[in-house]
Amino acid sequence: MPDSRVIGWDLGGAHVKAALAENGALRDVVQVPCRLWLGLPELDAAIAQVLNRLGQAPRHAITMTGAMADLFESRAAGVAALVAEMEDKLSGEILFYAPEDGMLS
């Protein structure tokens, strides 16, 4: 049977939130501090904490408000940096929510 696990991520400027769903049921949720304005190592540490608790999954759905943190010179630069970090740390299918376009790979 195929692996139905999916992790939903919210990359905020102060916290990373994640929820693990499996077979259509919520299995676990976690929120960890992520002082993104201090630099991308904060995000790396938060991702590691989430994955340590939830494990990897074959699919990830990501939304972000942290792209507007003071760390980045523009929202576009923030989005590009966060997308690159998540693609570097996660495996499987990775989708990002874009308000006007829905989920994008």
Side-chain angles (χ1 to χ4, degrees), residues 62-78:
I62 302 166
T63 186
M64 62 184 82
T65 56
M68 296 180 286
D70 290 342
L71 171 66
F72 307 113
E73 70 178 49
S74 67
R75 184 178 187 171

Side-chain angles (χ1 to χ4, degrees), residues 31-62:
Q31 175 177 297
V32 296
C34 178
R35 301 169 303 172
L36 195 50
W37 63 91
L38 295 178
L40 289 174
E42 291 281 324
L43 178 61
D44 294 339
I47 293 168
Q49 287 182 31
V50 170
L51 293 177
N52 185 53
R53 177 164 169 172
L54 303 182
Q56 278 281 2
R59 290 181 295 151
H60 300 269
I62 302 166

Side-chain angles (χ1 to χ4, degrees), residues 9 17 21 24 26 33 37-38 54 56 58 70 81 86-87 101:
W9 299 79
K17 284 84 65 185
L26 183 62
W37 63 91
L38 295 178
L54 303 182
Q56 278 281 2
D70 290 342
M86 296 306 280
E87 288 179 337
D101 300 311

